Amino acid sequence: MEKEVTIYDIAKQLNLSPATVSRALNDHPSINSNTKELITAKAAELGYRSNAFASNLRRQRTNTIGVIVPRLNSHFVSSVLSGMEKVANERGYNLIISQSQESVKKEKASAKTMFNGRVDGLLVSLAYDTEELDHLDVFIKKGIPLLFFDRVSTHTKATSVVIDNVKAGYDATAHLIEQGCQRIMHVTGNLKRNVYTDRLKGYKLALIDHNLPYDESLLMITDMSREAGIDVAQQISNMYNKPDGLFITNDLCAVSCMAALKKESFRIPQDIAVVGFNDDPVAQVIEPNLTTIHYPGEEMGEIAAQSLINHLNGLVNIQTTNTIVLHFELVVRESSVRTTG
Amino acid sequence: MEKEVTIYDIAKQLNLSPATVSRALNDHPSINSNTKELITAKAAELGYRSNAFASNLRRQRTNTIGVIVPRLNSHFVSSVLSGMEKVANERGYNLIISQSQESVKKEKASAKTMFNGRVDGLLVSLAYDTEELDHLDVFIKKGIPLLFFDRVSTHTKATSVVIDNVKAGYDATAHLIEQGCQRIMHVTGNLKRNVYTDRLKGYKLALIDHNLPYDESLLMITDMSREAGIDVAQQISNMYNKPDGLFITNDLCAVSCMAALKKESFRIPQDIAVVGFNDDPVAQVIEPNLTTIHYPGEEMGEIAAQSLINHLNGLVNIQTTNTIVLHFELVVRESSVRTTG
DNA sequence: AAAATTTGTGCAACCGATTGCAATTTCAAA
DNA sequence: TTTGAAATTGCAATCGGTTGCACAAATTTT
């Protein structure tokens, strides 16, 4: 185990001051370019590696971005993280990732860790039932930039990166209506979260625009799990006045629901047309393939990270840009297409 | 933006030395318990938060673990990460996660970042085509513990966490044979990676044990992508002497292959029985449901993190425990079960 | 040739916590 | 009361870069 090389070692060998070495290594303009070359060469020769802590300690920043997600093992989240990692890495930032496991309590704990870890900025997608945001307010109070993505908050003045969930909900519903559906059931998640309320809004607007009544008994709030999907199928099966369209705001849930419906010998899309949300890989595996909203996870991650880093570097002010809205796409597949209305 | 509270502030207010405050906050035994109470109370009152950098700088450790994975957006990997995060978080460690995107080059860059970031330990699952391990050797040279999981290396003396891939390959193949398959095709990935060579070994052993010939034309090396699955189906379709069993070491690939085969009107499992690997969610969506090897991702992550942290805390020596083998399970579903051989 | 700039380096004080060793206090045993 | 050990606490150096300011050298301007 060799001992570490420091700028002092380099300075001594070259008969320079550590200050000069430090500046040279950081490409400071006031250092002569010959000196710089000399120093970088020597640094390479000695196998010098910068000590991030010393630097962080002195500069009071960490080059680290905290990320809090509801859970790690979902296709969408991991795509987002992949995008974030890509960008962060390119720009010299590290990512510290933590999952709330959909619990406020864990979310608070994670926030605290990030806070103590003195992340330079924080990227958050809220847990299922988070309401108060005190645990995140501390960041704002300390001037640590905070950016929400996907599951965002309306309360604070933090920037958000989202898709237009209202429009997505509208498009999904309108598509079903165009396919001749008259009674469209909407299965969604906790309405505390923007993604779900917004999609519901879109659903309602589409109904209105097409002169269809809004029937509260066709709205189901669930936890969007596989079990929930099966449960929904069961309920539909027991209904007297069955729906002929189904808009479920999560592909995994939609897929398990479809499987259950098929077991009950519903024909999809003839008896009931289905639209999901997220464009999870399973959407292209289920038969019939699931129509869904394609949701740019990777891109969302890239943009969220990009924005935060730009803000940190003083290029853009996050406080002014309040919401970044990304494009989504309705991907029509067999689960919703009726040859004849 | 309030200024940070330091141990000096606490010390001054209580007329104590920073040394005492530091010790008290770390629950050092030689500090009087009354003093400790006094200090912790004051710290809470002032909203003190420890500065990790100062501490890291002084103690020369970061309480951070680096993780390098081939890619983030795969079900298996995100399960592993979820497990790692859980454990690391409980034990006061942070995770810095980076993806190699299956490229050695990126893997090297990530390793360097981790190295400079002075992670306390490193958890690695190798990229597709990594051969030399110089970029990881530096860690060992510096005495930074290195632990491989899943895609492990045979060269170094680092500990590995894996499943018994030989046995898994054997079981999958034997299962197909028991179902009456005589010509089993094996689709797998780059044989530089243990997971694939081992599964191939198992495949071969099962053939031998059941007196079946090993036919090289039934082995296909692919990149395990969806496209590869479609390609395999195409090739099978063009074969004169078609296989009646298919063992694909990745569910996503298996599923796309199945879909393509179905289009060519192969009946599964009657014409060709299929076994996958990983127990990805899609395995339960495809019809018929895919028989596969259930692979404990979350657990693998937990154990890998656990072992590394235990080593860091001097509880166990990682260098002596060389390989940790986890259980796997063959989950039999419809894709492989033939009512009559 | 003197004065005013510009350029390039160094000094030394940070950043905040940790820790070996010394110093002081406390308390019991002699 | 003295002595010695044990329990507490403090001193001061250290971890390795960073940066405001001073200063010297080189260059340009009068």
Side-chain angles (χ1 to χ4, degrees):
Chain A
M1 211 187 305
E2 317 132 29
K3 48 189 160 314
E4 291 291 340
V5 179
T6 72
I7 52 168
Y8 296 92
D9 300 324
I10 298 175
K12 197 165 295 170
Q13 292 212 20
L14 294 176
N15 247 321
L16 288 168
S17 78
T20 303
V21 175
S22 170
R23 290 196 180 95
L25 292 173
N26 288 313
D27 207 21
H28 188 103
S30 78
I31 298 293
N32 186 296
S33 52
N34 297 320
T35 317
K36 271 183 198 168
E37 270 177 43
L38 219 64
I39 290 175
T40 38
K42 186 53 101 179
E45 180 197 327
L46 299 180
Y48 167 81
R49 58 173 182 159
S50 159
N51 185 323
F53 311 122
S55 171
N56 288 339
L57 174 58
R58 179 61 227 237
R59 300 185 316 163
Q60 306 280 41
R61 63 181 298 188
T62 64
N63 266 71
T64 296
I65 295 173
V67 186
I68 301 179
V69 293
R71 74 183 91 67
L72 280 166
N73 45 350
S74 102
H75 173 76
F76 173 68
V77 170
S78 52
S79 304
V80 172
L81 290 177
S82 175
M84 289 178 174
E85 195 276 341
K86 215 181 281 174
V87 171
N89 196 66
E90 279 166 13
R91 313 267 311 249
Y93 281 81
N94 284 86
L95 244 42
I96 288 196
I97 299 172
S98 180
Q99 55 186 338
S100 64
Q101 285 168 160
E102 299 286 16
S103 118
V104 204
K105 201 178 153 196
K106 233 263 181 176
E107 183 175 287
K108 286 186 182 179
S110 296
K112 197 177 169 187
T113 310
M114 302 285 175
F115 190 62
N116 287 328
R118 284 173 169 67
V119 294
D120 286 346
L122 191 63
L123 298 168
V124 182
S125 186
L126 294 169
Y128 226 67
D129 55 349
T130 300
E131 294 194 85
E132 288 178 308
L133 294 172
D134 311 6
H135 55 300
L136 299 177
D137 283 345
V138 292
F139 286 88
I140 294 180
K141 267 184 203 151
K142 285 272 184 200
I144 300 166
L146 177 61
L147 190 150
F148 291 101
F149 62 93
D150 194 41
R151 304 247 204 108
V152 308
S153 149
T154 46
H155 301 304
T156 59
K157 336 141 215 178
T159 289
S160 300
V161 181
V162 288
I163 59 166
D164 185 341
N165 282 290
V166 176
K167 186 161 188 311
Y170 186 99
D171 288 3
T173 312
H175 168 71
L176 284 171
I177 297 171
E178 280 158 20
Q179 297 300 314
C181 298
Q182 297 283 319
R183 282 178 60 72
I184 299 171
M185 178 174 265
H186 180 41
V187 179
T188 193
N190 193 322
L191 294 179
K192 284 174 191 163
R193 291 283 73 81
N194 66 304
V195 289
Y196 303 121
T197 44
D198 285 356
R199 291 168 198 174
L200 173 57
K201 280 181 204 159
Y203 164 78
K204 287 179 180 171
L205 288 173
L207 291 182
I208 291 173
D209 285 0
H210 294 81
N211 297 311
L212 288 176
Y214 169 64
D215 179 347
E216 193 144 339
S217 71
L218 291 177
L219 173 65
M220 304 196 59
I221 308 297
T222 73
D223 64 356
M224 303 269 94
S225 64
R226 301 239 190 113
E227 294 70 40
I230 294 167
D231 200 52
V232 166
Q234 191 57 51
Q235 296 206 36
I236 290 176
S237 177
N238 291 336
M239 282 170 79
Y240 174 70
N241 197 359
K242 300 194 194 321
D244 55 1
L246 190 49
F247 170 32
I248 303 188
T249 57
N250 177 294
D251 282 350
L252 254 58
C253 182
V255 158
S256 76
C257 184
M258 282 169 77
L261 284 172
K262 280 161 72 182
K263 265 195 196 136
E264 302 273 335
S265 38
F266 281 80
R267 292 169 306 156
I268 300 170
Q270 295 85 350
D271 296 333
I272 187 163
V274 185
V275 174
F277 212 105
N278 268 27
D279 203 12
D280 191 281
V282 295
Q284 295 181 66
V285 172
I286 187 79
E287 289 183 20
N289 282 191
L290 179 61
T291 293
T292 189
I293 299 286
H294 180 80
Y295 204 149
E298 189 126 3
E299 194 187 341
M300 184 174 279
E302 286 173 17
I303 294 196
Q306 198 72 259
S307 310
L308 188 68
I309 293 173
N310 283 344
H311 174 89
L312 289 172
N313 294 341
L315 297 176
V316 189
N317 191 327
I318 245 182
Q319 325 286 14
T320 58
T321 333
N322 236 27
T323 306
I324 298 172
V325 181
L326 304 185
H327 289 291
F328 65 86
E329 194 186 349
L330 175 72
V331 182
V332 178
R333 300 202 181 99
E334 299 96 66
S335 74
S336 65
V337 177
R338 296 166 156 186
T339 36
T340 341
Chain B
M1 214 189 299
E2 317 132 29
K3 47 190 161 315
E4 292 290 341
V5 178
T6 72
I7 52 169
Y8 295 92
D9 300 324
I10 298 174
K12 198 164 294 169
Q13 292 211 19
L14 293 175
N15 245 319
L16 288 167
S17 78
T20 304
V21 174
S22 171
R23 290 195 180 97
L25 293 173
N26 288 311
D27 207 23
H28 188 104
S30 80
I31 299 293
N32 186 297
S33 52
N34 296 320
T35 317
K36 271 182 196 167
E37 271 177 43
L38 219 64
I39 291 174
T40 38
K42 185 55 99 181
E45 182 197 325
L46 298 180
Y48 167 81
R49 57 173 184 159
S50 160
N51 185 319
F53 312 122
S55 172
N56 288 340
L57 173 58
R58 180 59 226 244
R59 299 185 318 161
Q60 306 280 41
R61 64 181 294 188
T62 63
N63 268 70
T64 295
I65 295 172
V67 186
I68 301 178
V69 293
R71 74 183 90 69
L72 279 167
N73 46 351
S74 103
H75 173 76
F76 173 68
V77 169
S78 51
S79 303
V80 172
L81 290 177
S82 175
M84 288 178 173
E85 195 275 342
K86 217 181 279 174
V87 170
N89 197 65
E90 279 167 14
R91 314 266 313 247
Y93 280 81
N94 284 84
L95 244 43
I96 289 195
I97 299 171
S98 181
Q99 54 185 339
S100 64
Q101 285 166 161
E102 300 286 16
S103 116
V104 204
K105 200 178 155 198
K106 233 261 178 179
E107 182 175 286
K108 285 186 181 178
S110 297
K112 196 176 171 190
T113 309
M114 302 283 174
F115 190 62
N116 287 328
R118 285 172 167 68
V119 294
D120 287 345
L122 191 65
L123 298 168
V124 182
S125 185
L126 293 169
Y128 226 68
D129 53 348
T130 300
E131 294 195 86
E132 288 177 310
L133 294 173
D134 311 6
H135 53 301
L136 299 177
D137 283 345
V138 290
F139 287 89
I140 295 179
K141 267 184 204 151
K142 286 272 184 198
I144 300 167
L146 178 60
L147 190 150
F148 291 100
F149 61 93
D150 194 43
R151 303 249 204 105
V152 307
S153 148
T154 46
H155 301 304
T156 59
K157 334 141 216 177
T159 289
S160 300
V161 180
V162 288
I163 58 166
D164 185 340
N165 282 291
V166 177
K167 186 163 188 310
Y170 186 99
D171 287 3
T173 311
H175 167 72
L176 285 170
I177 298 172
E178 279 157 21
Q179 296 300 314
C181 298
Q182 298 282 321
R183 281 179 60 73
I184 300 171
M185 176 173 267
H186 180 42
V187 179
T188 195
N190 193 322
L191 294 178
K192 284 175 190 162
R193 291 283 73 82
N194 66 303
V195 289
Y196 304 121
T197 43
D198 285 357
R199 291 168 198 174
L200 174 57
K201 279 182 206 160
Y203 164 79
K204 287 179 180 170
L205 288 172
L207 291 180
I208 292 173
D209 285 1
H210 294 81
N211 297 311
L212 288 177
Y214 169 64
D215 178 346
E216 193 143 340
S217 71
L218 291 177
L219 173 64
M220 305 196 60
I221 308 297
T222 72
D223 64 357
M224 305 267 94
S225 65
R226 301 239 190 114
E227 295 68 42
I230 294 166
D231 199 53
V232 167
Q234 191 57 51
Q235 296 206 37
I236 290 176
S237 177
N238 292 337
M239 282 171 78
Y240 175 70
N241 197 359
K242 300 196 196 317
D244 55 1
L246 190 49
F247 170 31
I248 302 188
T249 58
N250 176 293
D251 282 350
L252 253 58
C253 181
V255 158
S256 77
C257 183
M258 283 169 77
L261 284 173
K262 280 161 72 182
K263 264 194 197 136
E264 302 274 334
S265 39
F266 280 82
R267 291 169 308 157
I268 299 171
Q270 295 84 350
D271 295 335
I272 186 161
V274 185
V275 174
F277 213 105
N278 268 27
D279 201 11
D280 191 281
V282 295
Q284 295 182 65
V285 173
I286 186 79
E287 288 182 25
N289 281 191
L290 178 61
T291 294
T292 189
I293 299 286
H294 180 80
Y295 205 148
E298 190 127 3
E299 194 187 339
M300 184 174 279
E302 287 173 18
I303 293 194
Q306 198 72 259
S307 310
L308 187 68
I309 293 174
N310 283 343
H311 173 89
L312 289 172
N313 294 340
L315 296 175
V316 190
N317 192 327
I318 245 180
Q319 324 287 16
T320 58
T321 335
N322 236 27
T323 307
I324 298 173
V325 182
L326 304 185
H327 290 292
F328 66 86
E329 194 186 349
L330 175 72
V331 182
V332 178
R333 301 202 181 100
E334 297 97 66
S335 73
S336 66
V337 178
R338 295 167 156 186
T339 36
T340 341

